[in-house]
Amino acid sequence: TVLHLIVFYSIPFNPTHQNKIHNQRRGNMATKSTAAAAAAAAPTDAESKPHRCIFNDVDMKHFMDSPTKKGLLNFVEAMGRSCASSTAPLNREEVLVGMTPAMACLHGALGSMVEWLDDFPPINEDTARFGNVAFRQWHQRLQERSNAIITAILLSRDDADLPLEDASNKGKDAASGEFTADEDPAILQVSAYLHDGFGHATRLDYGTGHESSFVVFLFVLSKVGCFGKQTPSLECLRAITVGIFDQYLKVTRKLQTIYRLEPAGSHGVWGLDDYHCLPFYFGACQLSSTNRRQQNDDEPEQHHLPHELTMPKCFAEDRTLDDYADSYLFLSCIQYIRTLKKGVPFFESSPMLYDISQTVPTWEKVGRGLLRMYEGEVLDKRQVVQHFLFGKYFAATWTPSQTERRPPASNFRDPAIEASQIHAGGGSARRTTPAVPFESTRAPWANQPPARPSS
């Protein structure tokens, strides 16, 4: 099973923590509170909020050498290897098959996130080339409902007998505001990673850093048992990778096109893509299984892919995209690029991808190259990963060079004076005098007596 899924992502599990989780699952779920279902060993107040830990090159060097980065990269590689374990295409009619209840719940929540765009139409679309401020309203809703979504996911995790369709509906209800959230610290630990996975609400942009934050979110979910009690099977991890990322791309592509989010850190035509990297890697792995399995007589005949998909040069042909883009992540990404850049020859709009189609002979080599590119151009770039949040489940194994700067919680007003003024006025009185007795700044000549007129 691919070295037990890259030694189960190299995650150092705490046996005591795992035993508590298993004891929770064996209990009576009908009488358990959401806090008990969230996770065992709730973090302390100091751990309650994940925070930044990469501020300069010294911190970056620690991250690059840390087991945290190694575990995340192993997790990504395991997801890719699982995609290569079968030649079966994506079937959206049975997309939940093989998932755990927790991930089926996430799939349903992502589906409802697409519908949020109808509630926040673009504002003044012609005022800017990139970035529509209505995206901030969408992102605010994400923050407001993320705890409910995580609550639903963790409750679905602990109900192993929950039908997948019911779990998906539970995720839809949570994202629709029809589910009560719990403020357990473990839920706050997980939801923080969901906030950063869909773009930046202030800069109005989206890039591979946000995509990586969503992968960290999945990585954290795997640590709290949402992928199964033990090491997930290749079939389970493949269903999660292909199904969840296909649904995630539906959300992010809508955000990119409707709100015209600016590509964050894009290299333009000299990069792989303006927004994404990992769907290309997962998609290449999904197609690489054809080369190994077409000679395998045990593979079901209906899973044998057409001959035209066995070589990477196929994705440069329009007919291939029209026929198979809905079934394979890589071809879906190419079709999306062509939709965004209509009328531009492919070799001009995406020279790197065009070179891959013309020079790389197998999908296996494409996949290996894209994984190296993801490590080198994303995980090893401080400009990208400096926004990662670290906490209990995605830990910084080093001491950061500085603490994260917080926005000021107060201003220059004197609370005592302000309170007395409000009390005297019977409410929020309008200020008539400065709250703090600072001396006013005057021009140097303002204090000089006026000159007497000469007689």
Side-chain angles (χ1 to χ4, degrees), residues 78-381:
M79 294 174 75
R81 295 286 188 90
S82 70
C83 292
S85 65
S86 172
T87 58
L90 171 65
N91 183 358
R92 291 190 174 89
E93 298 297 326
E94 301 177 354
V95 69
L96 300 180
V97 175
M99 292 188 188
T100 61
M103 302 315 294
C105 182
L106 174 60
H107 188 275
L110 290 171
S112 290
M113 290 182 191
V114 178
E115 300 174 1
W116 294 353
L117 281 86
D118 297 333
D119 298 331
F120 309 112
I123 303 173
N124 299 328
E125 296 185 67
D126 298 330
T127 57
R129 179 186 177 191
F130 286 117
N132 193 285
V133 294
F135 172 67
R136 291 171 182 160
Q137 297 174 294
W138 187 97
H139 199 273
Q140 180 63 30
R141 175 170 290 184
L142 172 66
Q143 293 180 320
E144 293 170 352
R145 298 184 180 178
S146 60
N147 285 354
I149 293 172
I150 303 303
T151 301
I153 290 174
L154 294 179
L155 287 175
S156 300
R157 172 203 67 180
D158 291 320
D159 189 356
D161 298 327
L162 182 66
L164 296 180
E165 196 64 37
D166 291 347
S168 178
N169 291 332
K170 182 179 290 188
K172 293 177 182 178
D173 292 341
S176 300
E178 302 175 5
F179 198 90
T180 303
D182 190 84
E183 296 299 328
D184 187 270
I187 293 176
L188 299 178
Q189 278 280 321
V190 180
S191 63
Y193 300 101
L194 184 63
H195 298 164
D196 291 342
F198 297 88
H200 197 284
T202 302
R203 297 192 302 266
L204 302 177
D205 62 6
Y206 178 93
T208 53
H210 303 105
E211 175 188 79
S212 296
S213 293
F214 184 75
V215 173
V216 173
F217 170 65
L218 296 179
F219 186 40
V220 170
L221 288 182
S222 74
K223 283 194 170 187
V224 297
C226 291
F227 283 26
K229 295 182 179 180
Q230 299 177 353
T231 307
S233 65
L234 284 173
E235 292 75 15
C236 175
L237 188 57
R238 183 183 190 276
I240 293 171
T241 303
V242 177
I244 293 298
F245 249 85
D246 177 69
Q247 193 79 330
Y248 172 69
L249 289 174
K250 289 181 182 178
V251 182
T252 57
R253 287 170 181 171
K254 280 285 188 179
L255 295 175
Q256 293 156 16
T257 54
I258 300 299
Y259 298 132
R260 295 186 294 191
L261 299 184
E262 183 175 5
S266 171
H267 295 288
V269 298
W270 304 113
L272 182 71
D273 180 62
D274 286 338
Y275 295 107
H276 292 285
C277 178
L278 286 177
F280 291 92
Y281 167 62
F282 298 146
C285 293
Q286 187 184 13
L287 289 165
S288 69
S289 59
T290 63
N291 294 325
R292 291 196 303 272
R293 291 181 175 264
Q294 277 195 332
Q295 304 298 325
N296 187 353
D297 295 335
D298 296 332
E299 183 75 9
E301 184 176 354
Q302 63 270 26
H303 290 175
H304 284 194
L305 299 183
H307 177 73
E308 59 264 29
L309 297 182
T310 59
M311 303 290 287
K313 64 181 180 181
C314 70
F315 69 80
E317 302 173 1
D318 292 337
R319 181 178 177 181
T320 301
L321 300 179
D322 294 337
D323 293 342
Y324 302 108
D326 290 338
S327 302
Y328 300 95
L329 288 177
F330 194 100
L331 303 182
S332 173
C333 292
I334 301 299
Q335 188 180 58
Y336 179 63
I337 292 174
R338 293 201 167 187
T339 301
L340 292 180
K341 302 177 180 180
K342 290 182 179 179
V344 182
F346 187 55
F347 69 88
E348 291 184 3
S349 65
S350 305
M352 181 177 292
L353 287 168
Y354 179 78
D355 287 345
I356 289 175
S357 70
Q358 301 300 308
T359 60
V360 183
T362 65
W363 286 111
E364 283 89 343
K365 287 189 176 182
V366 174
R368 289 196 298 268
L370 291 174
L371 182 62
R372 289 194 299 268
M373 176 183 292
Y374 177 71
E375 181 181 12
E377 297 297 325
V378 179
L379 295 185
D380 288 348
K381 294 291 185 182

Side-chain angles (χ1 to χ4, degrees), residues 55-66:
F55 300 97
N56 52 34
D57 290 339
V58 175
D59 294 333
M60 185 64 197
K61 181 65 168 59
H62 286 305
F63 171 72
M64 292 172 63
D65 296 336
S66 70

